[in-house]
Amino acid sequence: MQIFDVETVCVLGAGSTKYGKLDDSISDIAVKSSVSAIESANIKPQEIEAGYISNVFGIADKQVHLGPVIMSNLGISEKPSLSIESACGSGSVSLREAFANVAAGFYNAVLVTGVEKVTQTGTEWTTTYFSYCSDFFYEGQAGASFPGLFASMARAYLNEYDATEEDFASVAVKNHNNGLLNPKAHLRKKITIEDVMNSPVVASPLKLYDCCPFSDGASSVILCNEKFAKSHTKDYIKIIGSGRGGSPAALQGRDHMTTIPSTKLAAQSAYKMAGISPKDVDFAEVHDCFTIAEIVDSEDLGFFNKGEAINAIRNKETELRGSIPINPSGGLKSKGHPIGATGVGQAVETFDQLTGNAGERTIKNANIGLTHNFGATGASCAVHIFQSV
Amino acid sequence: MELLVQVAQFIFFKVCDLSAKQEFIDAAKSGKILARQCKKCNDVNLATVYFCRKCGNNQFENIFIDGTGHIETFTIITVPPTGFEKYVPYAWVIMKLNDSKLRISGFMSNVSKPNEIPIGTEVQIYGFDERGVLIKKSKLCY
């Protein structure tokens, strides 16, 4: 861990496009988002020394090798860049790699942009593409969609703990309430428990409103060392913890169906680096690709004991004004899930929250925020912890 | 001597196709699960694993495990990936094998309601085709 003490890594600027069904091309979306982060950081593109781009299905919009395209459009074609794919966790994995390189002193300032453009392919093909993120031989090939994989976890949870499908639904209701306060959210619509319960079944016990939408969108942050941050008269926040972990790629390889091993590993590592415990976290953006995922995540991250997230939800503890607000942005469920962008988008929300720029959804007196983002059913995971300055 | 062992191992790897997917498929077609038992620590791994997850050893003995077990969890899919439209609704099941600590997931046709295959239902592997591992109920009456 010594190497990470070399440089303190800061977030100097952040920006996102709206999430949703977008008409622009994947590269246009990515460039717009990058420009908004550069403007937020109040730097010149020439100060950026490298680009970390996260994306999964660029091929679906006829553009892979996105890094050089983005850098060229920012007028810095000579700067190195790379693309990182780690399924739905691509954004946070990209953030981690950028963090590590700034921490190690390779670069003073870098751009991290996550982007996805898939809605033009339609629901059936998007479902199919996403199934390629599973351990395909055992899962996708056997007809397991992503809702189906999480539905299997949901059924195991219902069987193991005192939980109901209505409890799952209340996670969706909460996140939609938060998303209503987020102008960039994909699904800005108030919903009720009944709306969720009456929505069509996608993969039992999960219904349409238990699932996040397929979204297009991009998010970007500027990471830099503290010397660079201090030389710019601009609010910044620090990344005080970064952790990663892995799980068996296929669900069948796991001993328990109601916990995600990679989340626990990533969280332990991030908490250790930050020198804090879960109770020190003021709010969290977690990977709620499905309602069950938020429940499992909040337990694996240590906010609640196993099986007790349900009581916390019933007691409204995870709501925006609760004791541990979860997904103030609306989460993947309401804000949307452009899979390459999501992990970076969580960092954007955390930046906005900790610099007091999250509008009506700003959590007062928040000092420490956590982001949690995984790929597939949590086969890969990254957790980051941020602190205001 | 060590070098000789390495050369021998290299030749062994070249000769034997360690990607056991086809062997796994053939076994599934006869209702068995092909697994690999570590020669060093005896831990049982799926046939598609190249190094023992417990001890890192790469010397295994193939074992054929009876493909019977019970449902640990499942879903019934109504919005399918491409190619599965004609099978809707169908179940995707994770089963725990009776004779091993291993779990196997797979496809189960003609299931429309959760109460048809509650958790714990006894099931067996009976084939492998374009739908992957095929699983069915072991008992007709429930």
Side-chain angles (χ1 to χ4, degrees):
Chain A
M1 289 297 166
Q2 197 59 40
I3 191 169
F4 297 119
D5 291 332
V6 174
E7 296 287 351
T8 299
V9 182
C10 306
V11 186
L12 186 63
S16 279
T17 64
K18 186 176 166 25
Y19 285 6
K21 191 169 168 49
L22 306 182
D23 294 328
D24 285 346
S25 72
I26 189 168
S27 51
D28 286 344
I29 296 169
V31 171
K32 279 183 184 171
S33 162
S34 304
V35 168
S36 67
I38 290 165
E39 287 174 347
S40 159
N42 197 23
I43 61 171
K44 292 191 179 76
Q46 285 71 21
E47 294 177 87
I48 294 168
E49 294 173 16
Y52 289 82
I53 314 303
S54 50
N55 173 251
V56 184
F57 297 119
I59 199 165
D61 202 46
K62 300 174 185 155
Q63 184 66 65
V64 293
H65 206 205
L66 274 155
V69 177
I70 294 168
M71 303 306 259
S72 295
N73 282 291
L74 296 175
I76 48 174
S77 56
E78 73 283 8
K79 299 295 172 65
S81 60
L82 81 167
S83 298
I84 287 176
E85 184 271 303
S86 195
C88 311
S90 301
S92 60
V93 171
S94 185
L95 188 75
R96 156 70 168 215
E97 295 310 307
F99 166 86
N101 276 277
V102 174
F106 284 108
Y107 304 117
N108 293 305
V110 301
L111 167 72
V112 185
T113 289
V115 63
E116 210 62 59
K117 175 81 195 295
V118 289
T119 61
Q120 76 282 4
T121 65
T123 299
E124 191 174 302
W125 270 106
T126 314
T127 303
T128 305
Y129 283 141
F130 278 40
S131 75
Y132 299 161
C133 297
S134 69
D135 188 340
F136 193 77
F137 181 73
Y138 291 113
E139 296 180 337
Q141 178 175 240
S145 61
F146 262 90
L149 294 167
F150 280 91
S152 303
M153 295 172 71
R155 191 177 309 283
Y157 195 97
L158 290 170
N159 186 54
E160 208 165 321
Y161 301 110
D162 174 30
T164 65
E165 292 181 37
E166 284 80 0
D167 291 323
F168 296 168
S170 62
V171 172
V173 171
K174 167 187 72 77
N175 287 349
H176 273 253
N177 284 341
N178 293 350
L180 265 178
L181 305 177
N182 185 349
K184 290 185 173 169
H186 184 173
L187 301 177
R188 301 188 71 201
K189 178 183 168 189
K190 191 169 178 61
I191 59 169
T192 64
I193 303 271
E194 292 71 35
D195 290 336
V196 182
M197 297 303 291
N198 293 331
S199 63
V201 175
V202 173
S204 74
L206 297 183
K207 293 160 282 290
L208 182 63
Y209 282 17
D210 283 301
C211 309
C212 69
F214 297 123
S215 312
D216 307 323
S219 292
S220 305
V221 293
I222 303 293
L223 296 193
C224 63
N225 59 39
E226 196 161 24
K227 187 180 169 197
F228 186 98
K230 282 183 170 167
S231 70
H232 292 71
T233 52
K234 168 76 185 57
D235 282 350
Y236 65 92
I237 63 173
K238 292 180 188 177
I239 300 180
I240 58 171
S242 172
R244 291 229 40 215
S247 308
L251 288 182
Q252 66 182 17
R254 303 181 190 174
D255 293 331
H256 302 286
M257 297 299 151
T258 57
T259 186
I260 294 176
S262 63
T263 296
K264 288 187 162 180
L265 293 167
Q268 278 164 12
S269 174
Y271 286 135
K272 187 177 174 192
M273 190 188 292
I276 67 162
S277 70
K279 66 175 169 27
D280 299 315
V281 174
D282 295 315
F283 68 91
E285 285 280 303
V286 310
H287 197 88
D288 61 322
C289 46
F290 301 92
T291 50
I292 179 64
E294 177 169 317
I295 291 164
V296 168
D297 298 343
S298 62
E299 294 172 349
D300 288 341
L301 289 166
F303 299 139
F304 312 112
N305 291 330
K306 212 58 224 159
E308 291 179 10
I310 297 299
N311 274 334
I313 289 160
R314 290 174 188 165
N315 295 333
K316 305 185 187 308
E317 289 173 42
T318 60
E319 291 188 1
L320 198 53
R321 305 298 169 213
S323 55
I324 171 74
I326 291 181
N327 285 324
S329 70
L332 285 59
K333 176 70 194 81
S334 167
K335 184 174 73 169
H337 186 26
I339 62 173
T342 290
V344 185
Q346 294 176 329
V348 173
E349 173 70 11
T350 305
F351 179 84
D352 287 345
Q353 286 285 352
L354 293 178
T355 55
N357 288 308
E360 285 180 83
R361 63 184 194 284
T362 302
I363 297 158
K364 290 190 180 66
N365 304 317
N367 181 41
I368 291 180
L370 177 148
T371 62
H372 161 264
N373 172 222
F374 58 61
T377 48
S380 55
C381 180
V383 169
H384 288 89
I385 300 170
F386 303 79
Q387 186 172 35
S388 56
V389 175
Chain B
M1 188 59 198
E2 202 174 316
L3 183 70
L4 271 176
V5 170
Q6 281 180 9
V7 170
Q9 279 183 352
F10 179 76
I11 292 166
F12 174 79
F13 287 146
K14 283 285 172 196
V15 172
C16 301
D17 179 18
L18 275 186
S19 170
K21 280 183 178 155
Q22 192 53 49
E23 287 178 85
F24 178 88
I25 290 168
D26 291 345
K29 283 179 177 172
S30 61
K32 305 275 186 197
I33 288 298
L34 174 62
R36 290 193 159 148
Q37 186 156 31
C38 177
K39 285 186 175 173
K40 200 168 168 185
C41 76
N42 291 327
D43 195 45
V44 177
N45 297 260
L46 282 172
T48 47
V49 172
Y50 283 46
F51 291 91
C52 176
R53 59 180 170 174
K54 281 275 189 299
C55 72
N57 179 39
N58 62 3
Q59 300 298 306
F60 296 101
E61 190 164 354
N62 279 353
I63 55 169
F64 290 88
I65 303 169
D66 184 41
T68 57
H70 63 269
I71 293 180
E72 188 156 291
T73 189
F74 68 97
T75 181
I76 297 168
I77 290 181
T78 36
V79 180
T82 311
F84 283 83
E85 303 86 344
K86 59 182 177 285
Y87 302 116
V88 167
Y90 61 88
W92 184 80
V93 169
I94 300 177
M95 64 181 282
K96 163 81 178 54
L97 294 171
N98 285 336
D99 295 344
S100 168
K101 64 174 186 178
L102 292 179
R103 294 173 178 79
I104 290 290
S105 56
F107 178 94
M108 193 180 224
S109 62
N110 297 320
V111 180
S112 57
K113 292 195 182 71
N115 62 12
E116 293 169 28
I117 51 166
I119 287 174
T121 300
E122 289 180 30
V123 290
Q124 65 187 77
I125 289 155
Y126 73 96
F128 193 107
D129 63 13
E130 75 279 4
R131 297 163 293 176
V133 173
L134 303 176
I135 297 174
K136 65 177 182 184
K137 276 198 219 182
S138 293
K139 293 173 182 171
L140 287 175
C141 302
Y142 218 84

